[in-house]
């Protein structure tokens, strides 16, 4: 079943992030970030796939509304990840389908996502769902010191 994420999903999301996406963020930090994101339900959409029998979270999708002055608002997928033991069972497809339904409900006609060059299997998955690679780009980051 697909449902909106809850703060009690922190542990499952943290584990999926660590094992599937390579982000080793502590449970404390994951919970803190999740609390902040869940407060912004008009901008962030965080969905989880929960097994109907075990009630274990087996995947999640995080998207946000992205707005700019030069095009219509769109949904930007920030994360899509499925637990390794349940990959290949259609969970990612179901999460993306639900996001597409949500986009239609919000009168948004475009969804985009970024995926690292090395994630070839993910690229094939997105292409199978009808997504196209439109451009290649580099990401620039500057870490700022905190006060």
């Amino acid at each position: 079943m697909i449902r909106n994420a809850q703060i009690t999903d922190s542990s499952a999301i943290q584990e999926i992030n660590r094992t599937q996406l390579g982000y080793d963020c502590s449970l404390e930090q994951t919970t803190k970030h999740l609390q902040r994101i869940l407060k912004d339900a008009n901008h962030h959409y965080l969905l989880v796939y929960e097994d109907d029998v075990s009630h274990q979270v087996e995947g999640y999708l995080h998207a946000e509304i992205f707005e700019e002055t030069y095009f219509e608002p769109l949904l930007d997928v920030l994360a899509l990840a499925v637990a390794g033991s349940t990959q290949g069972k259609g969970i990612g497809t179901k999460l993306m389908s639900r996001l597409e339904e949500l986009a239609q409900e919000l009168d948004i006609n475009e969804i985009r996502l970024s995926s690292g060059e090395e994630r070839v299997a993910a690229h094939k998955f997105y292409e199978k769902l009808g997504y196209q690679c439109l451009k290649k780009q580099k990401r620039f980051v500057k870490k700022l010191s905190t006060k």
Side-chain angles (χ1 to χ4, degrees), residues 94 96-106 111:
K94 289 175 185 173
M96 290 297 290
S97 292
R98 177 62 190 117
L99 185 66
E100 290 175 11
E101 291 169 4
L102 180 61
Q104 290 177 334
E105 292 168 16
L106 296 168
I111 297 173

Side-chain angles (χ1 to χ4, degrees), residues 85-140:
S85 61
T86 59
Q87 288 182 0
K89 295 183 178 180
I91 294 170
T93 299
K94 289 175 185 173
L95 285 164
M96 290 297 290
S97 292
R98 177 62 190 117
L99 185 66
E100 290 175 11
E101 291 169 4
L102 180 61
Q104 290 177 334
E105 292 168 16
L106 296 168
D107 199 27
I108 291 176
N109 62 13
E110 187 173 348
I111 297 173
R112 76 170 185 188
L113 57 96
S114 298
S115 182
E117 286 187 46
E118 71 283 356
R119 299 191 68 223
V120 177
H123 303 164
K124 289 179 183 178
F125 167 76
Y126 295 126
E127 289 170 349
K128 181 179 168 188
L129 295 180
Y131 289 78
Q132 300 173 321
C133 180
L134 297 181
K135 70 177 182 177
K136 309 237 181 203
Q137 63 189 79
K138 294 184 181 193
R139 176 178 293 164
F140 295 87

